Amino acid sequence: MILESVEHGPLIWSTIEENGVTGTKKYEELFATEKIQADCDLKATNIILQGLPSEVYSLVNHHRVAKDLWERVQLLMQGTNTTEIKSSKALPKLKMSSEFSLS
C-alpha cells in the first residue's frame, strides 16, 4: 500500500455534512481500510524524505503528498547520481587543502 501512495496519490478523504456544513472526516471517523491507506500515505512521505541528500530535502520538504514529493524528487535528481553528489561535497575540501600545500 505504501508503493500505491507513491504511484497513485493519496487517499481522498470522504466528506460529511453536519448542521449544513460540509467538511472532511476526522481520522477517527475513517473506515479501517481508509485509516490504513492514510497511514501508508504518511509513511511513504517519511520514507522518501529520510533518504534524500540535505540539498534536495530542503527543496522538497514542504510537500505533504508522497506522489507529488516523489515526482519532484525525480525531477530534481534527473541526470545525477550519488557519486556526483559526494564528489561535489569533497571539492571544497580539496581546494582548501591545496591552498596550504608546501609545494
Side-chain angles (χ1 to χ4, degrees):
M1 282 188 115
I2 292 175
L3 186 57
E4 290 175 11
S5 294
V6 175
E7 292 176 345
H8 305 295
L11 168 72
I12 306 298
W13 288 45
S14 306
T15 57
I16 57 171
E17 187 174 333
E18 287 184 16
N19 303 326
V21 179
T22 303
T24 56
K25 285 184 177 180
K26 296 177 184 170
Y27 181 83
E28 298 81 28
E29 298 171 332
L30 295 175
F31 294 112
T33 55
E34 292 174 322
K35 285 182 181 180
I36 292 170
Q37 185 62 49
D39 293 342
C40 287
D41 293 344
L42 181 61
K43 287 178 184 178
T45 301
N46 289 337
I47 289 168
I48 294 169
L49 288 173
Q50 289 174 4
L52 295 176
S54 58
E55 300 86 13
V56 177
Y57 176 87
S58 64
L59 296 172
V60 299
N61 68 343
H62 61 280
H63 288 283
R64 297 292 172 232
V65 176
K67 183 177 184 346
D68 297 341
L69 174 63
W70 184 244
E71 289 171 353
R72 181 72 175 146
V73 167
Q74 285 179 319
L75 182 65
L76 289 170
M77 299 296 288
Q78 202 169 36
T80 65
N81 65 38
T82 55
T83 58
E84 290 175 7
I85 293 169
K86 287 177 185 174
S87 65
S88 68
K89 289 180 182 177
L91 287 177
K93 292 178 186 174
L94 293 173
K95 185 183 257 185
M96 188 173 124
S97 65
S98 66
E99 290 174 9
F100 299 105
S101 66
L102 298 174
S103 50

